[in-house]
Structures are given as structure tokens and as C-alpha cells.
Amino acid sequence: MKRVSPPEAETARIDFAQPLDAAAPRLRCAFGVPRQVLVAQQVGEVRAVLDAVHAAAQQGHWCVGYVRYEAAPAFDTALQTYTADGPLAWFAVHDAPQPWPAEEPQETARVVWNSGLERSAFDAALGRIQQAIGAGELYQVNYTGPLTGALQGSAAALFAALQRAQPGGYAAHIGAGGEQVLSVSPELFFDWQDAPGGGDILARPMKGTAARGATPEEDAAQATQLRTAPKERAENVMIVDLLRNDLSRIAQPNSVQVPRLFHTEPLPTVWQMTSDVRARTRAGVRLADVFGALFPCGSVTGAPKVRAMQMIRRLEPGPRGVYCGAVGVVRPGGPAAAGGLYPVAATFNVPIRTVVLRTGETDSGTAVRVTCGIGSGITVDSNCQGEWNEWRHKRAFVERASESFDLLETLALIEGKFDHADLHLARMGEAAAHFGLPWNLHAVRQELQIAALQCHVGAWRVRLLLSVDGSARAETFAMHPTPTPVHLQLAGEPLREAAGEFCRYKTTRRAHYDAFAPSQPGVFDTVLYNEAGEITECTRGNVAMRLEGRWVTPPLACGLLPGVGRALALRSGRLEEAVVCLEDVPRVQAWAFVNSLRGWLDAKLVIPVV
């Protein structure tokens, strides 16, 4: 173990729930330059660092840091991992926390991501895991892969964006030597409150995932399906049983309990299922003993843990690092006892939804490299497409944070009056709630009133924008009639983001739409479809098709924006919802482009199905 003199720049922030005491406020605080830094570079040093952290908390200090996934052999030599690419354990020791900064960073951050794991490699790995399960070697493996990219902007701004994308939970920003850890994990590893006669400990493994629904009804159905699906319940129970066994190593006899099972939690982009496992720890248990019993968390290994980690070592391309290890805070947990020592309280997350930054040299100069791990639990009932979709749903949090955006509504202003303003504002308010942005309806209406006063004659296109800070602005542009029929072309490939939130909500992040901009002169817009071959929408509005004598438009479940013009046409009975697939296109009798700005535009499809 090394005690390192910290450089002046070392800082940290934590924003943690305290689940053992539901009435307690969140641990939301910052830390300046630490008094010392405790580092374990070798497996044999990890326990010594944890013992030193425990002792520092007993003396009244606060310790913030992490334990890498590759530290596992420090607690059991049978747990196989790659060689670590950084310190196995790193903790900064502080005299006391400081208030959370009153102002958020004003700068912005953008991450340019490279492509992650290829689908063919993903399918092959799942096949090998299921062969091993079928042979009786194990029950479950948590298989993961890395995303890599480059940061443009500041780490502080990226952390703020990550917290907006994944609020609540157990968030930490730790500057640790040559790397920065930005964790916004929703998963609790353990919350432990020690006491002289024995402590209380809670583990809350997160196992089971479902995408959020496109409508409130579909969202509720997704939660119910997650909670009742045999595959998801079996996956959750396996890990609960593993955690019960792990906790029994440090628990008082007959104290391990499961007070809550199969609880579904709504996160911004996914539903997650958690269960609670609680116990009374024996007197004299120390932090290193807790890690020795539990680390790594079974939710990120599989079961049995030893065999699952052997397969992870064989299939994954390199070390996981801080991802799937533990990030947390160890602190005094109450008044000092008669001997002057404080009881120890420790809260650690399982660092999923975690980004790690490293600065290095490239051919073009200094760059900040970004890594983020994504994974899922593989069981005998898993299928490749379902798990691949789960990975995409889980990475949505980092995609949301990777680039700044505004919420957007486009309204028609005709002779000083807006068309359907209330419907547009209701939709923007729903988007603000979804993305966690401040929403002041009165202030937003004032921006529209100013635009109406300035452009009270003629026809205008008004772009109403809502920023991350809740401020609104309106941009006005002269609008001219659109000759009909307009010409539409069919996309040459599916829109893979059709199930994502940037299709369900209207924002300025439109790269996925812009990639399908019309390529032929005279083409007004492109008709899109999802990976299942279902027609969804156009890039700037919804689409209507006449089939068998009735006008239909795709349902929201296909992956599309709930346009105001579409909603009005459905309400009036002019449109009905129906799934239309690519093979149905030759039978379409007529086409129309629909949005609230242009209204109903008769259309012709000029590019046939290839």
C-alpha cells in the first residue's frame, strides 16, 4: 500500500442515497484536496488499503474512492480477472465534506463515440455462454463490452450531463490521479452501518431490464412484463441467492433476510428490477471483511461466481476497470464512542452507468479518452436479439449525455395566432418531465406572445426551444405554401434509433434523422422504417397511408414522434392506427405527409421498394 501525497487538483463529488435510513437526506457534497491518498497497485495491498480506510473513518475522516473489478483475487484467488490497467484500489482521505457547488458548470461537453462490440462477436459469445449453461457448468453470466470515445469539453460538464440523464441513485465524480471516474450508477452494492455489537447491511442487486414504453399504457405494461417474466424473475432470484450466501459469511446467525423481491424501478430510459437482501453483521467485522464476502457484486458476475468470472475472463476483450467494481464513500457513522473512535458507515455503488476518462497522447495531440461498459445477464432463456436490444436501451443514458440538446416544438403562426399552441406546449411539458428539465409554462407562453406581437402579419414558422436550464426562446421564419403533392422517398436502410427517446420526443438532436435527408432533387422527405421492417414516420413529420380504403398511420409502439397533426387527424377519425410493413408498401393506394405546421399534404412515393 502506498500513501501518496496528492496533487493540488484532486477533487471529488458524491451524490448518494442513504437506503438504510430512508428519512435521511442524500449525501450530496464535494471534497477538496485530500489529506492523503491510499493506493493499492498489487493484489496483496488491497486489504491493507481497505483497513486503512476503515481506520481513517473511525478517526472521523471521510474517504472517497473505488475498488477495481480486477481487485477480486485479493479476496479469493479463485476469482479470475485480467491484469488491471490502473490502481486496484484508490481512496482519498478528507477531513470533512464541503457543500455541493451552488452553480452547475457553464461549459458544455460532447463525446464522439466509436462503434462498440460487433454484433457477430456478441452473438458468438452468447452462444458459448449458453453452451456452458446447457452443460451444467453455471447458471448465469453477466457479459459486458466496452464503448470507447473521445471527450470534447470538460469532465465537470460531462458529469452534470450524465446526472441529468441518470438522476438519483449513487453518483460520484472522482479525480483519481491519471483518470477521472464519472459514475451515475442506479445500483446499490451495499450500505453498511457498523456498531459495537454488530451492524446493519443492505445489498440491493439490480437484475432484470425492460425498455420504457412509448405511451403511459405501454410503459405500465413493460413494467408488469418485467416483474412477471419468468426469465427476468429467474435471473433476479439467482443473484439474490448468491448475495444471501455471500452476506452469510459476515452475518449474525439467521439474520439474512429478503424483505423485498422483484421491485421495478423506473429509470429515464429503462425499467430495472431490484431486490433487497439485508443482514446483521457480526461484531468486529471490518470494511475489508465486507468486501471479502461480497466483492465483486454477483449482479455483475453471474452464478456461481467463480465459474462465471472464469468465463468472463475468457470471453471479454480486456479488463473492466472501475466498471463493475465498487465506487463509494466511507465515513464516520455517528457520535464517537468512549474510546474516541467513531462507528463506520460505508455506502458503495456497483459502478454500472459509469464513464472513465483518461488523458493521453495521440497522433493529433493530447486527447481525453472515454470508456463506458455495457452488459447484461445471460441465462438459458436469453436470445441474442433481446440481449442486444437490452444493451442498446442501457447505453441510452450515455448517448443522452454525450451531446447537448434543446427541446423543440415547431408551430405555425398565422396572422398573429398560433395553431394548436396548447397541444404543442403540453407535448413540450411532457418532454421536459421526461428529460428532467425545469418547466415554467407561464414563461414559455410569454416567449410565444412576444413572437406573435413581432410577427402579427402573414404566415410564420416558429421554432420554440427549451434549454437544459429551463429557459425558452422563440425563433421566427417566414413560411410559404407547399405545393402538393409532395414527393417522398423510401429509406434505404432501417432507422436503428426508432425505439429511442430521441424519436419519441422532439429535440434539436437530429443526426439520426438528418442521415436520411432526401438525396434526390424534388423529394420533400423520406419515409422511415424500423429494424422489424415496420413503417414509422418521415424525418420532419408523420406519414399516412391509404390501405384497403382507409387512411392509417403507424402506432407509437413502432418508434415515432407523436405529432400534433397526427393526433388531430386521429381524433377527428380521418386516421386510424395500424402497423404497415415494407411488404405492404406495394398495396398502399395513396400517401400523405402530416404535421401541424404544414397540415395534411398529399404525397407520392417516388422511390419503389428495392
Side-chain angles (χ1 to χ4, degrees):
M1 179 184 74
K2 294 183 179 179
R3 298 178 184 267
V4 180
S5 298
E8 290 297 316
E10 298 287 6
T11 59
R13 296 185 191 183
I14 60 167
D15 186 357
F16 275 28
Q18 299 188 69
L20 272 177
D21 184 357
R26 293 181 65 86
L27 289 175
R28 183 173 167 86
C29 48
F31 298 89
V33 178
R35 60 186 294 124
Q36 64 176 331
V37 175
L38 306 171
V39 182
Q41 299 285 2
Q42 305 296 326
V43 168
E45 299 172 339
V46 173
R47 279 186 171 271
V49 164
L50 294 176
D51 283 339
V53 167
H54 189 108
Q58 286 181 310
Q59 294 162 9
H61 302 303
W62 288 60
C63 305
V64 181
Y66 64 77
V67 179
R68 255 180 171 75
Y69 175 83
E70 288 74 31
F75 311 109
D76 185 344
T77 56
L79 301 177
Q80 295 185 8
T81 69
Y82 280 99
T83 300
D85 58 354
L88 292 171
W90 188 100
F91 284 88
V93 181
H94 299 269
D95 289 329
Q98 301 173 358
W100 187 274
E103 296 183 0
E104 292 289 344
Q106 297 302 307
E107 63 268 53
T108 60
R110 180 171 182 260
V111 179
V112 180
W113 293 101
N114 304 320
S115 58
L117 187 67
E118 295 293 334
R119 177 62 189 269
S120 58
F122 180 88
D123 289 358
L126 261 65
R128 292 182 64 182
I129 292 170
Q130 290 188 315
Q131 284 180 354
I133 293 173
E137 298 179 30
L138 34 68
Y139 306 109
Q140 182 192 81
V141 174
N142 193 75
Y143 177 58
T144 77
L147 302 173
T148 61
L151 173 65
Q152 299 172 357
S154 75
L158 179 58
F159 181 60
L162 287 167
Q163 281 203 284
R164 288 192 297 270
Q166 185 76 71
Y170 307 89
H173 178 187
I174 300 173
E179 65 185 359
Q180 296 193 59
V181 177
L182 284 59
S183 180
V184 289
S185 174
E187 182 173 5
L188 174 69
F189 181 19
F190 66 84
D191 190 24
W192 177 46
Q193 178 70 60
D194 195 20
D200 290 308
I201 190 166
L202 167 66
R204 185 171 287 162
M206 181 173 284
K207 221 62 186 148
T209 305
R212 298 300 301 268
T215 65
E217 297 76 17
E218 183 186 339
D219 199 39
Q222 288 286 86
T224 300
Q225 171 65 19
L226 172 63
R227 190 166 50 250
T228 59
K231 183 260 183 185
E232 304 292 353
R233 290 168 71 94
E235 185 179 344
N236 192 280
V237 166
M238 285 182 204
I239 301 308
V240 167
D241 285 344
L242 190 155
L243 264 292
R244 289 174 61 212
N245 182 68
D246 286 352
L247 274 176
S248 68
R249 301 176 186 177
I250 54 172
Q252 297 178 16
N254 303 313
S255 71
V256 180
Q257 300 177 348
V258 182
R260 188 172 69 167
L261 196 62
F262 307 141
H263 174 69
T264 49
E265 295 184 8
L267 302 180
T269 59
V270 293
W271 284 97
Q272 298 272 192
M273 188 157 62
T274 64
S275 294
D276 286 4
V277 188
R278 296 189 64 154
R280 289 280 299 167
T281 53
R282 297 191 299 269
V285 166
R286 296 181 64 81
L287 182 64
D289 300 320
V290 176
F291 270 85
L294 301 179
F295 190 85
C297 183
S299 64
V300 293
T301 62
K305 186 181 287 188
V306 170
R307 184 68 185 95
M309 290 183 65
Q310 290 171 352
M311 180 150 282
I312 289 168
R313 170 64 175 80
R314 188 182 309 161
L315 293 180
E316 294 187 6
R320 291 180 172 184
V322 177
Y323 171 63
C324 292
V327 171
V329 56
V330 186
R331 63 197 187 282
L341 296 180
Y342 292 85
V344 172
T347 310
F348 282 83
N349 73 18
V350 179
I352 58 174
R353 316 293 196 274
T354 296
V355 171
V356 176
L357 310 180
R358 283 185 171 180
T359 302
E361 296 296 325
T362 67
D363 294 339
S364 56
T366 302
V368 179
R369 183 167 61 92
V370 185
T371 59
C372 176
I374 304 292
S376 64
I378 311 303
T379 68
V380 68
D381 297 319
S382 299
N383 67 79
C384 293
Q385 186 60 48
E387 297 299 332
W388 184 254
N389 289 340
E390 183 173 321
W391 280 36
R392 292 200 311 190
H393 298 320
K394 286 180 175 177
R395 67 180 284 177
F397 89 97
V398 76
E399 291 171 344
R400 183 193 287 193
S402 296
E403 186 175 352
S404 61
F405 62 90
D406 294 334
L407 301 187
L408 170 66
E409 290 292 326
T410 307
L411 298 84
L413 176 61
I414 311 298
E415 304 300 335
K417 295 192 179 298
F418 285 101
D419 287 347
H420 315 301
D422 288 345
L423 294 178
H424 283 281
L425 292 177
R427 189 172 69 169
M428 179 172 271
E430 291 172 0
H434 172 80
F435 288 107
L437 274 58
W439 176 245
N440 184 330
L441 179 59
H442 177 70
V444 176
R445 283 191 181 277
Q446 282 188 322
E447 289 298 313
L448 290 182
Q449 290 172 357
I450 292 171
L453 289 172
Q454 293 174 337
C455 303
H456 59 280
V457 176
W460 300 84
R461 174 170 62 92
V462 179
R463 281 168 48 94
L464 177 65
L465 299 151
L466 187 76
S467 298
V468 170
D469 63 2
S471 61
R473 65 188 188 278
E475 301 172 348
T476 55
F477 306 87
M479 185 170 66
H480 305 287
T482 303
T484 57
V486 296
H487 290 166
L488 305 177
Q489 68 178 21
L490 191 66
E493 60 179 324
L495 175 65
R496 291 176 173 81
E497 293 82 0
E501 59 187 348
F502 289 101
C503 287
R504 300 201 311 272
Y505 298 95
K506 191 169 184 178
T507 75
T508 56
R509 185 179 295 184
R510 292 184 48 85
H512 53 295
Y513 286 130
D514 293 342
F516 289 91
S519 57
Q520 300 296 323
V523 175
F524 181 75
D525 209 341
T526 303
V527 177
L528 307 173
Y529 52 92
N530 60 28
E531 290 183 290
E534 300 165 338
I535 301 295
T536 58
E537 60 184 335
C538 295
T539 72
R540 293 180 292 156
N542 293 114
V543 65
M545 296 156 282
R546 187 171 177 83
L547 271 172
E548 299 176 353
R550 63 191 183 111
W551 282 99
V552 300
T553 192
L556 299 181
C558 291
L560 54 122
L561 183 74
V564 170
R566 172 185 179 276
L568 292 168
L570 286 169
R571 185 185 302 173
S572 70
R574 188 175 188 180
L575 273 179
E576 302 174 27
E577 287 188 338
V579 175
V580 181
C581 297
L582 288 177
E583 55 264 31
D584 300 319
V585 169
R587 299 191 298 108
V588 174
Q589 299 162 318
W591 294 81
F593 172 94
V594 183
N595 70 10
S596 67
L597 182 70
R598 303 286 177 179
W600 181 288
L601 302 179
D602 292 333
K604 290 183 178 180
L605 189 68
V606 297
I607 304 297
V609 179
V610 178

